Amino acid sequence: MDYEAVIGLETHVQLKTRSKMWCGCPNQYGAPPNTHVCPVCLALPGVLPVANEEALRLTLRTGLLLQCEIPARAKFDRKNYFYPDAPKNYQLTQYDQPSTRNGHVEFEFNGTLSRVRITRAHLEEDVGKSTHFERHSGVDFNRAGVPLLEIVTEPDLTSADQTHAYLNALKEILQYGGISDCDMEKGMVRCDVNVSVRPCGTQALGAKIEIKNMNSFSGVRRALEYEIPRQIAAVRRGEKLVQSTRRWDDVAGVTEEMRSKENAHDYRYLPEPDLMPFEPAQDWLDNERASLMELPLARKQRLMREYQLPAGDAEVLKNNRALGDYYEPIARLSKNPKLLANWIINNLQARLVEIMEKEKTEQASLGLEPDEMKFTGLADLKFKPSDLLDLVEMVARGALSSASGQTVLAEMVASGKAPSAIVQSMGLAQVSDAGAIETLCDQAIAQNPNPVADYKAGKEAALNALKGQVMKLSRGKANPAMVGEILQRKLRG
Ligand code: ADP
Ligand code: MG
Ligand code: ZN
């Protein structure tokens, strides 16, 4: 019998706010332990929480980006458990009335579109971080009370690779939307992976195994690549799987059982009495909706449709949002948007990398560490986007050869001068005057009887030698396409 995997994810994402969820402590990574703490996030007696408005806004925004419903009323609940990293002995979360629910994410996978339903995305708070030393343990509460969004999917995923693709798509949406930096190294995205197996073609769900607290997408994929065959082998042997929680051992490359799974009622969820229910005002929601950006996938599809870009180019401009934002306003004015994309992706990007490398060396020589370095990007280019448009249009209409175009671009980067001025001062204008090119062709034909004879005898390649001669006579400025055409016409005639 064949088995299939059923996978659902619970992804925790750190919201990009300046302060924590219930107090004014900074939401900032990397500070010495217990320096971003106060009576509220340490849960000293008598303190009360005050909700962070920006976190509420980002939650709604995420809901909209994930096509969720936004209920008129949401509330906060206490999830009770004892653990040294939870100073209140409960975690504030949203249990039965989350801020957003019933959405979906669409993403490309295996050449088609996958759609995963989003059960809910709710707001909660992070807890502290325990560290175990040789003879004692310590808790750092800097992260306690940092706002998290928990994004829960329906069990719609079916493979390790598809799950990986979903996570990347989710991350991209959240980064596009300014919801979270999703910096994995800083632990900003963590997920619990739920997976079961069932005979292909059946509907009932198998026992859910939850792999807890994964902090890398490649780890999620590897864990599933291990766990799915493990479960299938077990049921094939006739074992009955039970709902349980496992841990991924990244070094050994295996999952191992931690505990049989607790149930929701074990947490004694109860409504938080110190916070009002959250009822987002309609104009607030309307504002958010109006300011939403286009989703990355929609942008890619539109770039392909509106500018006839190949999927690969549209993908690059989608992945690099700044580059896409640079491209679009000038693409709208361009007669050759495909060529323009090409120039931005291949030539302009290469120049930007050079600039960055140079800045890096300069800053390193000033003694700056990598995390203190600042790089200028597109916004700091000395020339206007419309100058690049002009350059590409010149190349497209044959006024400038592609190779000379590169020279002009380098000069634009260096001096910020307009391309037409550079073409003039460097004498790079391409000769597209048919009369002038004919004269050069006649000259080349007269001076090179051997290739002429070869071509007439049927050796097509001999044309290139003649073309080379004409280009030489023109000092590289003749329009190569015209040279080819005129030579052919003259030799055939
Ligand atoms: P819990 O109450 O234990 O957190 P939920 O029903 O809320 O369980 O589901 C948590 C996650 O597990 C969701 O992403 C859901 O899609 C997924 N899930 C639920 N049942 C299964 C199953 N049998 N196999 C795989 N994933 C599942
Ligand atoms: Mg759950
Ligand atoms: Zn605090």
Side-chain angles (χ1 to χ4, degrees):
M1 197 192 304
D2 281 338
Y3 286 85
E4 64 182 10
V6 176
I7 302 159
L9 292 191
E10 295 160 286
T11 309
H12 296 85
V13 179
Q14 217 175 76
L15 292 178
K16 190 176 177 170
T17 56
R18 279 192 310 200
S19 54
K20 291 189 184 182
M21 189 61 224
W22 317 112
C23 62
C25 291
N27 172 9
Q28 203 180 74
Y29 177 86
N34 297 309
T35 51
H36 293 334
V37 292
C38 72
V40 174
C41 53
L42 290 175
L44 301 188
V47 297
L48 290 171
V50 178
N52 180 332
E53 182 176 331
E54 180 65 2
L56 296 172
R57 189 183 74 82
L58 291 175
T59 301
L60 295 185
R61 197 170 174 80
T62 306
L64 295 173
L65 290 171
L66 303 182
Q67 322 294 326
C68 289
E69 295 161 15
I70 311 290
R73 166 184 270 233
K75 73 170 178 43
F76 293 96
D77 303 277
R78 297 180 173 188
K79 179 181 182 181
N80 297 279
Y81 63 96
F82 170 78
Y83 207 69
D85 64 12
K88 296 195 280 273
N89 280 347
Y90 58 82
Q91 183 188 19
L92 278 176
T93 181
Q94 296 182 312
Y95 180 51
D96 54 349
Q97 291 183 259
S99 278
T100 80
R101 60 178 180 227
N102 297 339
H104 63 263
V105 173
E106 257 181 348
F107 57 99
E108 290 179 308
F109 176 66
N110 260 354
T112 58
L113 282 189
S114 284
R115 175 189 279 234
V116 169
R117 288 170 297 161
I118 300 295
T119 316
R120 55 196 280 165
H122 65 256
L123 193 52
E124 57 184 40
E125 60 176 336
D126 210 345
V127 294
K129 188 176 173 7
S130 304
T131 307
H132 305 291
F133 303 99
E134 204 174 313
R135 309 200 45 184
H136 64 285
S137 293
V139 189
D140 174 10
F141 289 108
N142 283 350
R143 230 172 52 186
V146 161
L148 297 181
L149 209 58
E150 176 171 344
I151 302 165
V152 183
T153 76
E154 290 292 303
D156 287 349
L157 293 153
T158 57
S159 72
D161 284 339
Q162 192 198 18
T163 302
H164 191 259
Y166 158 75
L167 282 169
N168 276 324
L170 180 66
K171 174 177 166 186
E172 189 169 58
I173 293 171
L174 298 174
Q175 285 177 332
Y176 249 70
I179 308 297
S180 170
D181 289 332
C182 294
D183 189 335
M184 312 294 294
E185 314 266 284
K186 297 180 181 167
M188 289 182 185
V189 185
R190 284 162 275 160
C191 53
D192 302 333
V193 180
N194 302 274
V195 51
S196 60
V197 296
R198 66 182 173 198
C200 286
T202 60
Q203 290 303 312
L205 291 173
K208 180 183 80 171
I209 309 274
E210 179 170 8
I211 311 168
K212 275 273 181 211
N213 229 340
M214 305 288 308
N215 57 15
S216 84
F217 294 175
S218 57
V220 169
R221 177 157 61 189
R222 288 177 62 219
L224 283 168
E225 281 167 354
Y226 171 85
E227 180 64 16
I228 294 168
R230 185 192 74 79
Q231 290 187 20
I232 292 176
V235 291
R236 285 221 168 104
R237 279 197 305 271
E239 274 175 42
K240 193 162 162 45
L241 293 170
V242 292
Q243 179 170 323
S244 56
T245 301
R246 298 177 77 86
R247 183 180 91 77
W248 168 245
D249 182 334
D250 199 60
V251 179
V254 299
T255 61
E256 53 198 31
E257 176 143 348
M258 287 162 70
R259 55 176 188 264
S260 63
K261 173 77 175 136
E262 67 285 350
N263 280 310
H265 59 250
D266 296 332
Y267 289 117
R268 289 194 306 113
Y269 281 98
L270 47 102
E272 164 61 47
D274 291 333
L275 287 164
M276 294 292 282
F278 173 43
E279 299 175 346
Q282 195 55 46
D283 58 342
W284 210 44
L285 260 175
D286 292 343
N287 259 338
E288 276 313 306
R289 215 184 284 274
S291 74
L292 279 186
M293 84 298 163
E294 183 178 36
L295 286 176
L297 178 62
R299 175 175 232 185
K300 176 176 173 183
Q301 291 167 335
R302 192 176 51 74
L303 288 171
M304 291 172 68
R305 199 172 58 239
E306 263 175 39
Y307 307 109
Q308 279 78 52
L309 297 189
D313 287 0
E315 175 79 17
V316 174
L317 295 174
K318 173 205 78 169
N319 290 347
N320 189 332
R321 187 176 176 191
L323 215 56
D325 289 348
Y326 188 88
Y327 171 71
E328 281 219 60
I330 47 178
R332 268 180 231 122
L333 304 172
S334 174
K335 294 194 200 75
N336 305 280
K338 237 170 113 168
L339 185 66
L340 182 62
N342 222 298
W343 270 76
I344 288 183
I345 291 168
N346 297 315
N347 306 331
L348 183 63
Q349 240 191 338
R351 290 279 170 278
L352 289 170
V353 171
E354 271 172 27
I355 296 172
M356 218 176 82
E357 289 299 322
K358 200 168 130 228
E359 286 174 349
K360 208 187 258 177
T361 327
E362 278 167 11
Q363 295 181 24
S365 74
L366 294 173
L368 290 183
E369 296 294 325
D371 61 338
E372 302 169 309
M373 294 183 178
K374 294 255 182 316
F375 302 118
T376 56
L378 285 161
D380 297 291
L381 285 174
K382 290 185 195 152
F383 57 87
K384 301 192 296 283
S386 62
D387 288 339
L388 184 71
L389 173 65
D390 291 344
L391 173 65
V392 173
E393 300 296 300
M394 269 190 243
V395 173
R397 58 167 196 271
L400 194 62
S401 73
S402 183
S404 300
Q406 305 268 10
T407 312
V408 174
L409 179 60
E411 184 54 28
M412 286 161 68
V413 169
S415 70
K417 286 203 192 106
S420 55
I422 297 171
V423 168
Q424 257 199 342
S425 68
M426 295 178 94
L428 291 170
Q430 179 161 278
V431 177
S432 295
D433 166 2
I437 295 177
E438 281 206 33
T439 311
L440 296 176
C441 288
D442 287 338
Q443 217 176 323
I445 288 170
Q447 287 168 0
N448 297 281
N450 289 345
V452 170
D454 286 349
Y455 182 75
K456 287 189 168 162
K459 256 174 88 180
E460 294 279 329
L463 192 69
N464 286 335
L466 288 168
K467 239 169 121 174
Q469 290 302 321
V470 177
M471 292 309 289
K472 209 158 141 192
L473 289 170
S474 77
R475 277 174 293 139
K477 289 190 222 159
N479 180 328
M482 288 180 70
V483 172
E485 268 166 44
I486 292 174
L487 275 176
Q488 265 178 336
R489 179 157 48 74
K490 285 187 179 289
L491 292 172
R492 281 214 198 95

